[in-house]
Amino acid sequence: MAEEKKKKAINFREMSTCDATVQMLEKAAADGVETAFTRAAEMKACPIGADSACCKHCSMGPCRLNPKDPYSKVGVCGATIDTIAARNFARMVVSGAAAHTDHGMSMLDVFREVVSGHLTEYKIKDEEKLRSVAESVGIETAEREVLDIAKDLYKELERTYTQVEGEIPFAKRVPEKTAENWRKLGIMPRGAMRELMETMHRTHMGVDQDYDNIAKQFSRTALSDGWGGSMVATEISDILFGTPKPLVAGVNMGFLKEDHVNVIVHGHEPNMFESMIDAVNDPANIDKAKAAGAKGINLLGMCCSGAEVLSRHGVPHAGNFMSTEAIIATGAVDAMGVDVQCIKQALAPLSECYGTKFVTTNPRAHIEGAIHVELDEHDPRKCVDRIVDMAIERFRSARPERIVIPQRRDMGIHGFSHEYVNYMLGGSFRGSYVPLNDNIINGRIRGVAGVVGCTNPRVKHDYVHVECVKELIRNDVLVVQTGCSQISLAKAGLMKPDAAVLAGDGLREVCETVGMPPVLGLGSCVDNSRILIACAEMVKTGGLGESIADLPVAGAAPEWMSEKAISIGQYFVASGVYTIFGVTFPTLETTKFHKLLFDGLQSQYGLGKWDFAVDPIEMAQKMIAHIDERREALGITGERERKLASMDDRRAI
Ligand code: XCC
């Protein structure tokens, strides 16, 4: 019988460099359960789809063009390969941007309810941040009550979504020359709802059929994510739950505890997690766990939810996107509560195999086979306490006979923010980006790279992230990180100050002087907005050009998989950043649309540009080449100083 046909043995060592993940994938295979790794090995990616040579926007098709000779055919309506690929790309941007902006909108919903006094479970935790965000969008804060400022801020930030005409509030943070260029090109975003709607309209059959014009609109849409929805998500989360400050925290599966009730939170929005922290620390719940025979309740995060609370509270992180199934395969997870985004549907049947209580909590994300307990922000404890109860019950009565917890615990420093970079390099009295810019100008730091994004079973898990970052720091490039990439590097030990020994002489000197790691984790994927703000600060500080496009910076998503990554990539490109992706790229190299993304956006429009490489060293070298090109254009290629900065030198800066 087909099902009984022996499947080819898979060598998981070739699929991941994460020891704990490999160990658990082997266990899952021995237990007879599938994972995304085994499914990817058995299912080839569709070649037509991978090249974006297929259009299914109407029922005259779906139309398949020939990727080997893309201009030999057009679709039934006459759509060319450039129109088809541009429309497909635009819709990836829309989906990714919608995910981030909807996340930002829910944070703003919580904020509105807090400010209006309807919601008392959450509070304004970071008043200093509230004031600084309000000031950045032109709200008067001097001698005003916190609540008054918060009400004005809510009204102002709502425009990020609903504004029909005119610029979104955080456009005020964009360096003037960059913003001027957007206005000239017609890509300064209006409210996200309008941009998302217009892009969906334009990509309907028979509307916008000029790839160049479509590219302008998806750039505007992506900008409404980066400088809009994502930025609101980050800033409101900081105001409500606190701006992260560096702290020592751990990642990996070794933080599961066999003698505790283990609860995992997975997804993206921080509010459910914040309430879960209260629930697992509630003495009543701890007593219940003890009565069931456990020593206590152990809470861990996964994916971006995990990155949020790793940064803010030092809650251990169990693993990134490609480890989520492996973590269930330990058998040690009593309950997993999930909200939105990056939750593999396979987690539901897999949880059933191991008796894990798999609980969806968000009205936007039900999963067949999961238990649904909806979270109402007005009474969040009702939902999270129920998850804890289910976890305790599973601990008491339904744990599998064999639990295996890989003994890997990787400590590092997490919780950097653009505010902290200010303080860290400038000191508490002279907080500024001057020292960062100065170290870039004098060449100790060659440039800054954002290495971010997902993991993907089509490439060796964690490997591309880690090797790319190692090559960058070896060449004096300071690396900032978010999302699952940050977890890959944390597992490799690069979030420790000791990792400075792997850096080039110049970067090492700066790291050792300040006591910082060469790789700085900034949080979850919406926190890529922190990187945008840092870029804007670098421009405003001076000495590195007048627009973001002038900066010696580059971005990469070495193992990307989600549409959110495409939106992030596009908002970095549209902001002026050279951005390189790995795995695969949804265009055909020989097409005009590809040339626009990989060259024209920069050469014709003064934005950034896309690039692609699968090999991590090639990827890093391409980023370094771009950084060097920018350094040359800025006239800062001169000999690098190798002098160790004394405290006097630092004070003098
Ligand atoms: Fe998802 Fe955000 Fe990608 Fe990780 S990095 S796989 S998008 S969890 Ni955001």
Short mmCIF file of all heavy atoms in Angstrom, two decimals, residues 446-469:
data_model
loop_
_atom_site.label_atom_id
_atom_site.label_comp_id
_atom_site.label_asym_id
_atom_site.label_seq_id
_atom_site.Cartn_x
_atom_site.Cartn_y
_atom_site.Cartn_z
N ARG A 446 32.40 49.62 10.04
CA ARG A 446 32.35 49.84 8.58
C ARG A 446 30.95 50.28 8.13
O ARG A 446 30.79 51.06 7.19
CB ARG A 446 32.71 48.51 7.93
CG ARG A 446 33.03 48.55 6.48
CD ARG A 446 33.52 47.16 6.14
NE ARG A 446 34.13 47.06 4.86
CZ ARG A 446 35.07 46.14 4.58
NH1 ARG A 446 35.49 45.30 5.51
NH2 ARG A 446 35.57 46.07 3.37
N GLY A 447 29.96 49.74 8.78
CA GLY A 447 28.58 50.06 8.45
C GLY A 447 27.65 49.27 9.37
O GLY A 447 28.13 48.57 10.26
N VAL A 448 26.36 49.39 9.14
CA VAL A 448 25.39 48.68 9.97
C VAL A 448 24.52 47.80 9.07
O VAL A 448 24.08 48.25 8.01
CB VAL A 448 24.49 49.66 10.76
CG1 VAL A 448 23.51 48.90 11.65
CG2 VAL A 448 25.34 50.60 11.62
N ALA A 449 24.32 46.55 9.50
CA ALA A 449 23.46 45.65 8.72
C ALA A 449 22.32 45.16 9.59
O ALA A 449 22.52 44.77 10.74
CB ALA A 449 24.27 44.46 8.22
N GLY A 450 21.11 45.18 9.02
CA GLY A 450 19.96 44.57 9.68
C GLY A 450 19.80 43.18 9.10
O GLY A 450 19.59 43.03 7.89
N VAL A 451 19.97 42.15 9.92
CA VAL A 451 19.76 40.78 9.45
C VAL A 451 18.55 40.24 10.20
O VAL A 451 18.56 40.14 11.42
CB VAL A 451 21.01 39.89 9.66
CG1 VAL A 451 20.75 38.48 9.14
CG2 VAL A 451 22.20 40.51 8.95
N VAL A 452 17.50 39.96 9.48
CA VAL A 452 16.20 39.74 10.10
C VAL A 452 15.46 38.56 9.44
O VAL A 452 15.96 37.97 8.50
CB VAL A 452 15.32 41.02 9.98
CG1 VAL A 452 16.05 42.24 10.52
CG2 VAL A 452 14.88 41.28 8.55
N GLY A 453 14.27 38.29 9.95
CA GLY A 453 13.34 37.43 9.23
C GLY A 453 13.31 35.98 9.69
O GLY A 453 13.94 35.58 10.67
N CYS A 454 12.60 35.22 8.89
CA CYS A 454 12.14 33.89 9.24
C CYS A 454 13.23 32.83 9.12
O CYS A 454 14.37 33.12 8.78
CB CYS A 454 11.03 33.50 8.25
SG CYS A 454 9.99 34.88 7.74
N THR A 455 12.79 31.59 9.37
CA THR A 455 13.57 30.42 8.96
C THR A 455 12.69 29.60 8.03
O THR A 455 11.46 29.75 8.03
CB THR A 455 14.01 29.58 10.19
OG1 THR A 455 12.86 29.32 11.01
CG2 THR A 455 15.04 30.32 11.01
N ASN A 456 13.31 28.74 7.21
CA ASN A 456 12.58 28.14 6.09
C ASN A 456 13.18 26.76 5.79
O ASN A 456 14.40 26.65 5.65
CB ASN A 456 12.76 29.09 4.89
CG ASN A 456 11.99 28.67 3.66
OD1 ASN A 456 11.85 27.48 3.37
ND2 ASN A 456 11.49 29.64 2.91
N PRO A 457 12.36 25.71 5.70
CA PRO A 457 12.93 24.37 5.52
C PRO A 457 13.56 24.15 4.13
O PRO A 457 14.15 23.11 3.89
CB PRO A 457 11.73 23.45 5.72
CG PRO A 457 10.55 24.28 5.36
CD PRO A 457 10.89 25.68 5.77
N ARG A 458 13.43 25.14 3.23
CA ARG A 458 14.05 24.99 1.90
C ARG A 458 15.55 25.27 1.94
O ARG A 458 16.25 25.09 0.94
CB ARG A 458 13.39 25.95 0.89
CG ARG A 458 11.91 25.70 0.68
CD ARG A 458 11.66 24.46 -0.13
NE ARG A 458 10.23 24.16 -0.20
CZ ARG A 458 9.75 22.97 -0.53
NH1 ARG A 458 10.57 21.97 -0.81
NH2 ARG A 458 8.46 22.76 -0.58
N VAL A 459 16.03 25.81 3.09
CA VAL A 459 17.48 25.99 3.26
C VAL A 459 17.84 25.45 4.65
O VAL A 459 16.97 25.20 5.47
CB VAL A 459 17.91 27.48 3.15
CG1 VAL A 459 17.72 27.99 1.75
CG2 VAL A 459 17.16 28.36 4.14
N LYS A 460 19.14 25.29 4.89
CA LYS A 460 19.57 24.72 6.18
C LYS A 460 19.22 25.68 7.31
O LYS A 460 19.74 26.80 7.37
CB LYS A 460 21.07 24.44 6.12
CG LYS A 460 21.57 23.53 7.20
CD LYS A 460 23.03 23.16 6.88
CE LYS A 460 23.51 22.08 7.81
NZ LYS A 460 24.83 21.60 7.44
N HIS A 461 18.34 25.22 8.19
CA HIS A 461 17.79 26.04 9.28
C HIS A 461 18.91 26.67 10.13
O HIS A 461 19.83 25.97 10.54
CB HIS A 461 16.92 25.09 10.12
CG HIS A 461 16.42 25.63 11.41
ND1 HIS A 461 16.41 24.91 12.58
CD2 HIS A 461 15.90 26.83 11.74
CE1 HIS A 461 15.89 25.61 13.56
NE2 HIS A 461 15.58 26.79 13.08
N ASP A 462 18.81 27.95 10.36
CA ASP A 462 19.74 28.76 11.18
C ASP A 462 21.10 29.03 10.51
O ASP A 462 21.75 30.03 10.80
CB ASP A 462 20.03 28.13 12.57
CG ASP A 462 18.85 28.23 13.53
OD1 ASP A 462 17.93 29.02 13.28
OD2 ASP A 462 18.86 27.49 14.54
N TYR A 463 21.52 28.09 9.65
CA TYR A 463 22.87 28.15 9.09
C TYR A 463 23.11 29.44 8.30
O TYR A 463 24.14 30.10 8.46
CB TYR A 463 23.09 26.92 8.20
CG TYR A 463 24.34 26.96 7.36
CD1 TYR A 463 25.57 26.65 7.91
CD2 TYR A 463 24.29 27.30 6.00
CE1 TYR A 463 26.73 26.68 7.14
CE2 TYR A 463 25.43 27.33 5.23
CZ TYR A 463 26.65 27.03 5.81
OH TYR A 463 27.79 27.08 5.04
N VAL A 464 22.17 29.81 7.45
CA VAL A 464 22.39 30.97 6.56
C VAL A 464 22.46 32.25 7.40
O VAL A 464 23.32 33.11 7.17
CB VAL A 464 21.31 31.07 5.46
CG1 VAL A 464 21.78 31.99 4.34
CG2 VAL A 464 20.97 29.71 4.89
N HIS A 465 21.57 32.36 8.40
CA HIS A 465 21.61 33.53 9.29
C HIS A 465 22.97 33.64 9.97
O HIS A 465 23.61 34.69 9.96
CB HIS A 465 20.56 33.39 10.40
CG HIS A 465 19.14 33.56 9.95
ND1 HIS A 465 18.67 34.74 9.45
CD2 HIS A 465 18.09 32.70 9.94
CE1 HIS A 465 17.38 34.60 9.16
NE2 HIS A 465 17.01 33.38 9.43
N VAL A 466 23.37 32.53 10.58
CA VAL A 466 24.56 32.57 11.44
C VAL A 466 25.83 32.85 10.62
O VAL A 466 26.63 33.72 10.98
CB VAL A 466 24.69 31.24 12.25
CG1 VAL A 466 26.01 31.19 13.00
CG2 VAL A 466 23.51 31.09 13.21
N GLU A 467 25.97 32.15 9.50
CA GLU A 467 27.20 32.34 8.72
C GLU A 467 27.25 33.73 8.09
O GLU A 467 28.31 34.35 7.99
CB GLU A 467 27.33 31.25 7.64
CG GLU A 467 27.50 29.85 8.21
CD GLU A 467 28.60 29.74 9.26
OE1 GLU A 467 29.72 30.25 9.03
OE2 GLU A 467 28.34 29.17 10.34
N CYS A 468 26.10 34.24 7.67
CA CYS A 468 26.05 35.59 7.09
C CYS A 468 26.47 36.63 8.14
O CYS A 468 27.31 37.50 7.88
CB CYS A 468 24.64 35.86 6.57
SG CYS A 468 24.41 37.52 5.95
N VAL A 469 25.92 36.49 9.34
CA VAL A 469 26.23 37.47 10.40
C VAL A 469 27.70 37.38 10.81
O VAL A 469 28.36 38.39 11.02
CB VAL A 469 25.28 37.28 11.61
CG1 VAL A 469 25.75 38.10 12.80
CG2 VAL A 469 23.86 37.68 11.22
#
